[in-house]
Amino acid sequence: MKNLKLASLNGDNNRRTIVTVGNVKIGEDLVVIAGPCSVESEEQTVITAQKVKEAGANMLRGGAFKPRTSPYDFQGLGLKGLKILERARRETGLPVVTEVTDPRDVSWVCEYADVLQIGTRNMQNFSLLKEAGKVGKPVLLKRGMNSTLREWLNCAEYILAEGNPNVILCERGIRTFETYTRNTLDLSIVPSIREISHLPIIVDPSHGTGKVSLVEPMSLAAIAAGADGVMIEVHYHPHEALSDKDQAMSPVLFAGLMKRLQVLRSHMNEMRWDRERKSQEEA
Ligand code: PEP
Ligand code: MN
């Protein structure tokens, strides 16, 4: 694809970027990022973090800066939220993924985040992308809800072109005419990205569907489609969540999902092994 000098495979079909965060290798291991939509309190975040860790999650998510549709909705705790995330990381050892919404905040949010998230509404915020490209932290770049694959990869290119090679793509659903689900989770983007880019790609079925009942089936489908991981919203008391409560899993539901993800992963490993063996036999 034209102008994707750094984001595309450039003919090297075996090239894969691995983004290392703590002891997790995104692009190699199956990564599960879980936690609340928003950081609401120390108790809510730390307990949720402990629960997702017990269930086997590798990283903690939680928003301290929340880009909300209405200015009257809960906007996040800002710096106080980041300090709570720091506490949750200390208690659990889980690396933290958190969103940054303003280019002026990038350098200091890096002091608290292990991975900077750029959300769907900011995918084409070019000054934010450039700032994120100047720091060494890995960046989780969500797909814009109205964006094509080409537009999305061009945004990744902005970060790469500034010298930061650690970009993780995240499909989180796009706008279609369908209203039953919050968004339409475009899983065909996963193998499509694989065909043209070396960047790891994960899937967020929580925002992708908006419905807790659909999160498990779409998580499994994402892994079956070849995703490098999933990002799941989990809240210790989902009905009390200050944002996105309809899509939040309880810790019990999440633990069930983790068990089935592990089973699927071992099947996927076998299939990969089969594919490798076949290509060796053909060679
Ligand atoms: C989020 O993950 O917290 C979030 C706001 O997601 P998105 O940008 O995909 O809406
Ligand atoms: Mn959310």
Side-chain angles (χ1 to χ4, degrees):
M1 253 182 205
K2 208 169 144 263
N3 281 338
L4 293 174
K5 293 185 193 155
L6 302 168
S8 70
L9 284 168
N10 291 319
D12 181 358
N13 291 342
N14 295 322
R15 179 165 172 217
R16 305 277 289 122
T17 287
I18 313 277
V19 178
T20 304
V21 182
N23 56 11
V24 189
K25 289 189 173 1
I26 305 154
E28 192 173 288
D29 313 329
L30 178 79
V31 61
V32 179
I33 305 168
C37 178
S38 305
V39 174
E40 298 167 5
S41 69
E42 185 163 309
E43 178 190 291
Q44 168 252 12
T45 301
V46 173
I47 295 181
T48 305
Q50 285 164 340
K51 299 271 181 203
V52 300
K53 160 113 191 199
E54 268 166 39
N58 326 87
M59 287 203 226
L60 175 67
R61 62 146 289 140
F65 295 97
K66 297 304 300 177
R68 304 302 301 281
T69 303
S70 163
Y72 307 116
D73 287 339
F74 177 59
Q75 302 286 309
L77 298 179
L79 176 59
K80 186 172 168 215
L82 294 174
K83 291 191 166 156
I84 292 173
L85 286 168
E86 195 174 42
R87 172 85 200 273
R89 176 178 41 203
R90 241 195 345 266
E91 302 267 326
T92 60
L94 293 176
V96 165
V97 183
T98 197
E99 181 161 356
V100 60
T101 53
D102 189 314
R104 293 166 297 185
D105 296 337
V106 168
S107 59
W108 69 268
V109 171
C110 279
E111 292 170 28
Y112 297 89
D114 296 289
V115 176
L116 293 173
Q117 179 173 320
I118 294 184
T120 192
R121 293 161 188 81
N122 271 315
M123 185 199 82
Q124 284 186 317
N125 181 338
F126 298 114
S127 43
L128 182 61
L129 297 174
K130 284 185 192 165
E131 280 305 308
K134 287 184 188 131
V135 294
K137 289 275 162 175
V139 180
L140 182 89
L141 179 64
K142 289 193 141 192
R143 180 182 183 185
M145 63 182 90
N146 299 306
S147 301
T148 62
L149 176 151
R150 181 192 288 264
E151 286 161 342
W152 190 16
L153 282 179
N154 268 291
C155 292
E157 190 79 20
Y158 265 89
I159 301 169
L160 300 170
E162 292 294 332
N164 185 347
N166 298 309
V167 177
I168 306 149
L169 301 169
C170 178
E171 160 63 27
R172 50 78 69 201
I174 50 173
R175 281 272 164 88
T176 67
F177 52 79
E178 183 56 72
T179 54
Y180 182 72
T181 45
R182 183 178 179 184
N183 290 287
T184 296
L185 191 64
D186 177 15
L187 289 183
S188 65
I189 203 84
V190 172
S192 306
I193 288 284
R194 289 241 181 284
E195 279 179 3
I196 51 176
S197 179
H198 50 87
L199 295 172
I201 176 167
I202 69 164
V203 171
D204 168 356
S206 305
H207 294 90
T209 64
K211 283 187 156 69
V212 71
S213 61
L214 304 183
V215 171
E216 173 159 332
M218 297 315 284
S219 299
L220 297 169
I223 300 306
D228 295 299
V230 285
M231 179 152 88
I232 313 277
E233 287 190 345
V234 181
H235 193 287
Y236 77 151
H237 298 312
H239 301 298
E240 293 169 12
L242 293 182
S243 56
D244 289 350
K245 62 165 168 265
D246 295 339
Q247 66 194 39
M249 281 191 139
S250 65
V252 171
L253 275 184
F254 177 69
L257 165 62
M258 283 302 290
K259 284 208 183 95
R260 286 175 281 279
L261 275 178
Q262 311 292 11
V263 174
L264 179 62
R265 179 175 39 185
S266 55
H267 285 303
M268 295 290 291
N269 285 343
E270 269 171 44
M271 284 197 288
R272 192 166 302 148
W273 182 81
D274 250 12
R275 264 204 309 274
E276 278 163 12
R277 193 187 48 182
K278 265 193 209 117
S279 61
Q280 273 166 12
E281 279 169 7
E282 280 161 17

